[in-house]
Amino acid sequence: MVSDKVSIHGAWASRWVFILAATGSAVGLGNIWKFPYMTGMYGGGAFVIMYLLCIFLVGLPIMLAETLIGRRGRQSPVNALGALALESGASPRWSWAALMGMIAALLILSFYSVIAGWSLDYIMGMGAGQFEGISAEGAGGAFGALTADPWRLTLWHTLFMLLTGFVIARGVVAGLERSLRVMMPLLFVLLLVLLGYSMTTGHFMQGFHFLFDFQPDRLLDGVLAALGHAFFTLSVGVGSIMVYGAYMPKRASIGSTVLAVGILDTLVALTAGLALFPIVFAAGMEPGAGPGLMFVTLPVAFGNIALGQAMGTLFFVLVLIAAWTSSISMLEPAVAYLVERTRRSRVLITSVLALLCWLVGMGTVLSFNVGAEAKFFVFAVDGFHLFQWGAEGGRNFFDSIDYLTSRILLPAGGLAFVLFAGWVLKREAVREELAIDNPLLFGLVYWLIRVVAPLGILVVFVAELMK
Ligand code: PFF
């Protein structure tokens, strides 16, 4: 029997709202900012192939697992996992996986807010016409000036965190639906316009080849990065999709819904890459520029086309919206959990958690300027150091949190969730939730959840350790 329970936090009006919400969560900075710069860093096509494999063989099965666990549990991820474990005769300690995911999501929010804040700065800059006719060096300089200024970064980081907290405090179900319906399609249209522009740069094919041709010797360079990014871009491994699943109508088909979300997310990432790289090449810049890629190349493009300032402003507004619909999904699992656990008001809990994430985010703010030399995870000749000022290797605060979440916590959380859905929940329960009538198709999907996705995660981990 499909569960009749309802979440105390509310429920989506239809499965379409789940698609909007989950796509809103999935499509974000990961697609428009991170995917293109990672592709640049890890060798173009070689990275794209690994990324696609990770999305379809590992990411989507986890998204399925999360959605069905959430919908069957009808509570925050921590409590859903605990209750379902008990129901299945397993240890309630499974809920620790969700607890870890919840913390990972808060850590991601801490730096996500800082980067999303950059788009606020660019909205103002573009709106004021500061990028009119700008050169590649000029745009690089403007970006450098922004990241070098902790006060300016703090201002936008604070504002973005307030935006996120505001929506969550009011309840996701109430405020979100209407804006998502307008903003998500608009984001698609704008990306397509940008793609159209990049086709006119004369470097479109160069960008295309960069994305889709691959050097076989680079295939393994970025496997763990590709896997980590597959998790990040689909928002899986932390419980965000699980908590949205808890608000999903009970009759909706999970399989096709999740597939739609995965395909939309992948399309946005590929389109962003196709739109960006020709512009990078046309401006004579390097695709391996790292995190600044979007914030340096796009202003050059927008600064030099007709109506560019208006379009650029609108583009960064949409980047902001994409980031905002993602950031709320990072906060929701923890807020839902604490509301269930403490029965305190949503507003109070949201405020405390947002403040906490804001504080941790200050570490990221400082990573780009005065704290750039504070290095963590340093492997040196004299051994391993957790922290060392000015060390040769190691990662700054932002890179450390990014590494810890994308490369370790998300895959570990994802592994726990698929194992739970595949091996702890009864086969009948999974069949009921997925509602896939064709036995062959169900067998295939179930095998992906039970065997392929967990093995994929393990193999990539081991391969990376042996490198
Ligand atoms: N999927 C988002 C993106 O690609 O920008 C990032 C994200 C959202 C990660 C929600 C984790 C999460 F829980």
Side-chain angles (χ1 to χ4, degrees):
M1 195 199 69
V2 172
S3 157
D4 282 332
K5 281 181 278 183
V6 182
S7 149
I8 60 163
H9 310 286
W12 306 124
S14 70
R15 106 186 166 105
W16 286 108
V17 185
F18 174 83
I19 294 189
L20 278 182
T23 308
S25 169
V27 170
L29 296 173
N31 308 63
I32 308 170
W33 163 70
K34 216 172 174 195
F35 172 74
Y37 94 67
M38 290 185 82
T39 306
M41 278 170 44
Y42 291 105
F47 178 77
V48 174
I49 291 183
M50 283 300 161
Y51 164 79
L52 290 176
L53 280 177
C54 290
I55 292 275
F56 287 95
L57 293 181
V58 181
L60 285 183
I62 298 173
M63 201 183 241
L64 271 178
E66 283 201 32
T67 313
L68 76 90
I69 294 171
R71 189 170 70 170
R72 205 170 175 81
R74 288 279 183 236
Q75 302 173 64
S76 66
V78 175
N79 287 330
L81 240 71
L84 291 181
L86 280 180
E87 204 181 288
S88 317
S91 159
R93 294 211 184 103
W94 275 98
S95 64
W96 291 0
L99 203 66
M100 180 185 76
M102 201 177 94
I103 293 169
L106 295 177
L107 285 174
I108 293 175
L109 177 58
S110 79
F111 73 75
Y112 207 82
S113 165
V114 177
I115 315 280
W118 296 352
S119 59
L120 280 167
D121 193 277
Y122 274 73
I123 292 169
M124 306 310 267
M126 281 275 175
Q130 275 168 16
F131 293 92
E132 195 87 65
I134 201 158
S135 65
E137 294 82 61
F143 179 66
L146 166 65
T147 51
D149 185 346
W151 295 107
R152 222 164 116 197
L153 293 181
T154 304
L155 170 72
W156 301 126
H157 166 49
T158 310
L159 219 85
F160 186 81
M161 199 59 90
L162 284 173
L163 276 178
T164 305
F166 177 70
V167 178
I168 288 290
R170 294 189 56 204
V172 190
V173 184
L176 232 92
E177 187 174 337
R178 203 178 304 144
S179 56
L180 280 168
R181 272 188 211 279
V182 182
M183 297 321 274
M184 297 307 289
L186 213 61
L187 183 72
F188 272 95
V189 171
L190 250 131
L191 266 178
L192 291 180
V193 171
L194 202 67
L195 183 68
Y197 169 71
S198 84
M199 285 177 176
T200 68
T201 57
H203 290 261
F204 186 73
M205 286 321 287
Q206 196 183 346
F208 187 89
H209 286 300
F210 181 73
L211 265 184
F212 295 112
D213 292 355
F214 72 96
Q215 301 146 283
D217 56 312
R218 292 214 63 181
L219 266 182
L220 292 181
D221 277 14
V223 218
L224 194 59
L227 183 75
H229 187 62
F231 279 89
F232 186 86
T233 191
L234 290 177
S235 310
V236 296
V238 297
S240 287
I241 296 296
M242 201 183 286
V243 82
Y244 281 180
Y247 310 150
M248 192 174 176
K250 63 182 175 193
R251 299 274 162 234
S253 146
I254 290 183
S256 58
T257 308
V258 161
L259 194 64
V261 176
I263 288 176
L264 281 173
D265 186 70
T266 305
L267 281 180
V268 173
L270 291 178
T271 312
L274 271 181
L276 237 92
F277 285 115
I279 299 173
V280 176
F281 291 125
M285 290 186 274
E286 275 299 309
L293 193 66
M294 179 177 98
F295 293 94
V296 176
T297 53
L298 283 187
V300 176
F302 285 127
N304 293 285
I305 53 172
L307 288 179
Q309 300 295 294
M311 252 176 63
T313 311
L314 207 55
F315 178 78
F316 280 105
V317 169
L318 289 160
V319 171
L320 176 73
I321 303 287
W324 177 53
T325 55
S326 297
S327 65
I328 50 179
S329 74
M330 298 167 201
L331 200 49
E332 180 63 17
V335 170
Y337 169 63
L338 289 178
V339 167
E340 285 164 12
R341 180 156 181 164
T342 66
R343 302 280 159 176
R344 295 297 184 90
S345 84
R346 208 177 159 85
V347 177
L348 177 75
I349 288 166
T350 306
S351 312
V352 172
L353 286 176
L355 183 68
L356 218 74
C357 289
W358 180 87
L359 272 174
V360 179
M362 285 310 292
T364 290
V365 162
L366 300 177
S367 299
F368 292 100
N369 35 71
V370 293
E373 288 305 314
K375 301 289 185 64
F376 300 80
F377 301 109
V378 183
F379 292 94
V381 259
D382 60 336
F384 173 76
H385 303 266
L386 192 59
F387 176 78
Q388 205 174 39
W389 184 267
E392 260 301 304
R395 298 184 159 78
N396 66 29
F397 188 83
F398 160 59
D399 290 333
S400 306
I401 302 260
D402 183 21
Y403 185 88
L404 180 72
T405 49
S406 296
R407 305 282 184 98
I408 299 169
L409 296 180
L410 266 54
L415 181 63
F417 298 155
V418 268
L419 287 179
F420 186 83
W423 298 90
V424 175
L425 285 185
K426 302 262 178 319
R427 187 187 173 96
E428 268 325 295
V430 175
R431 189 201 295 279
E432 252 171 46
E433 290 295 335
L434 290 185
I436 299 176
D437 293 332
N438 183 325
L440 258 181
L441 189 60
F442 173 74
L444 176 74
V445 171
Y446 198 45
W447 177 69
L448 282 176
I449 292 181
R450 273 166 77 94
V451 182
V452 177
L455 273 183
I457 302 173
L458 284 175
V459 165
V460 174
F461 254 129
V462 173
E464 194 73 17
L465 284 180
M466 314 239 303
K467 244 181 26 187

